[in-house]
Amino acid sequence: MGAGKWIGGFLGLLAGGPLGALAGFALGSLAERVLSSDITTSTARPTVSDSRQGERNGFLFALMVLSADVIQADGRIMHSEMEAMRRFLRSSFGQDAETQGDEIIRRLFERRKQMGESWWRSQIQDCCRQIASVMTVGQRLQLISYLITLAKADGNADASEINVIKSDALAMGLSENDVDQMLGLGGSSLDDAYRVLGVSPDASDDELRKAYRQLALKHHPDRVQALGEDVRKAAEEKFQEINDAKDRIWKARGMK
């Protein structure tokens, strides 16, 4: 996947705004030329496939930006987290994406160092608000899911990483509870299961059923199908973990 194709693929979704500005820096002079070219002002109507590719590539670039935010949340760049990001890019988008994604994140680290923490935090918040304006709730939840997986890459999600993820989630129009629920995914205890559903162990059976229905609707894999089969597969795995948590509670309570 060449850089020019990457840029052209998400111009319709992210042209302008803070994400477009970061794209111009992260991808260098080629990005700047394309961002200022006639492509941005074309009146040609995009095809369905172009539109979906734009959604997918926009999702990918937004993921790069937010990953750069989380990886440096504790002031360090952990090898395990960088390797986790590379594996995700390679398995989901191919070898070229891994190489380019690694370079993009490093250039974003450089930009953060150049401009300072105050500028970076303001920029990230603006980027998150832009993401909220162009992505569905399901797509935003999948972004957060990836970020949590990244934070857990070294075996433990640091408090500073979780705080950054929650801050970014709020700016994207999500809630801290959305993050807490996904943090419970993958756990095997009954407490983890209640955390996933976002309810107290004292909740009634009816409250549990309602919580599960709402959670299943928000995280259904169909909500991210426009982003491609690999992203949908990750959403299906998350959905299965939600169902596993539900089944543990139902079994413990003897519910049907």
Side-chain angles (χ1 to χ4, degrees):
M1 177 173 55
K5 183 177 180 181
W6 186 333
I7 286 289
F10 69 70
L11 267 177
L13 187 65
L14 299 177
L19 281 165
L22 283 177
F25 177 82
L27 287 116
S29 59
L30 173 61
E32 293 169 3
R33 290 199 300 272
V34 178
L35 284 167
S36 61
S37 72
D38 289 341
I39 294 176
T40 61
T41 57
S42 172
T43 58
R45 179 170 295 180
T47 66
V48 172
S49 59
D50 288 340
S51 176
R52 290 199 171 186
Q53 188 64 38
E55 283 189 73
R56 178 179 170 83
N57 290 349
F59 180 88
L60 174 58
F61 187 73
L63 179 61
M64 295 293 95
V65 171
L66 297 181
S67 295
D69 193 32
V70 171
I71 288 172
Q72 281 197 312
D74 57 2
R76 300 173 296 169
I77 300 174
M78 298 293 291
H79 175 75
S80 57
E81 293 171 347
M82 290 295 290
E83 280 300 306
M85 175 51 57
R86 293 185 190 107
R87 285 195 302 272
F88 161 71
L89 290 172
R90 182 172 62 252
S91 63
S92 297
F93 300 95
Q95 187 65 48
D96 286 344
E98 178 190 357
T99 302
Q100 292 179 16
D102 189 78
E103 178 64 20
I104 284 171
I105 287 183
R106 293 186 184 280
R107 287 182 66 86
L108 290 170
F109 291 158
E110 176 187 342
R111 190 62 164 171
R112 183 175 188 166
K113 184 177 180 180
Q114 286 176 347
M115 303 302 292
E117 283 301 305
S118 179
W119 176 88
W120 176 261
R121 288 259 53 86
S122 175
Q123 192 79 356
I124 288 296
Q125 292 289 292
D126 287 344
C127 286
C128 287
R129 285 187 280 270
Q130 185 180 3
I131 289 169
S133 72
V134 298
M135 291 189 189
T136 66
V137 170
Q139 291 170 349
R140 283 176 270 153
L141 286 169
Q142 195 61 32
L143 275 178
I144 296 299
S145 178
Y146 279 125
L147 296 178
I148 289 173
T149 299
L150 182 63
K152 291 181 175 180
D154 57 358
N156 180 53
D158 186 86
S160 59
E161 295 170 331
I162 297 305
N163 288 338
V164 163
I165 292 173
K166 287 185 175 181
S167 175
D168 293 350
L170 288 171
M172 282 193 281
L174 303 174
S175 69
E176 290 191 3
N177 191 52
D178 288 323
V179 178
D180 286 332
Q181 288 176 298
M182 282 186 276
L183 283 168
L185 292 173
S188 58
S189 72
L190 199 56
D191 285 342
D192 289 329
Y194 280 111
R195 185 181 188 184
V196 169
L197 265 65
V199 295
S200 162
D202 297 329
S204 68
D205 290 356
D206 285 344
E207 288 172 331
L208 281 168
R209 292 189 180 94
K210 180 179 179 181
Y212 170 72
R213 286 195 299 269
Q214 292 175 339
L215 191 64
L217 183 62
K218 286 170 65 174
H219 290 273
H220 198 282
D222 285 351
R223 288 180 171 267
V224 297
Q225 63 182 351
L227 299 177
E229 284 304 309
D230 39 23
V231 178
R232 180 184 167 85
K233 181 179 179 181
E236 288 174 346
E237 292 172 355
K238 178 183 63 178
F239 195 68
Q240 182 59 55
E241 289 181 339
I242 291 171
N243 282 321
D244 289 345
K246 171 250 188 185
D247 289 343
R248 283 201 303 277
I249 297 174
W250 264 233
K251 182 178 180 180
R253 290 194 174 206
M255 294 171 58
K256 295 182 180 180

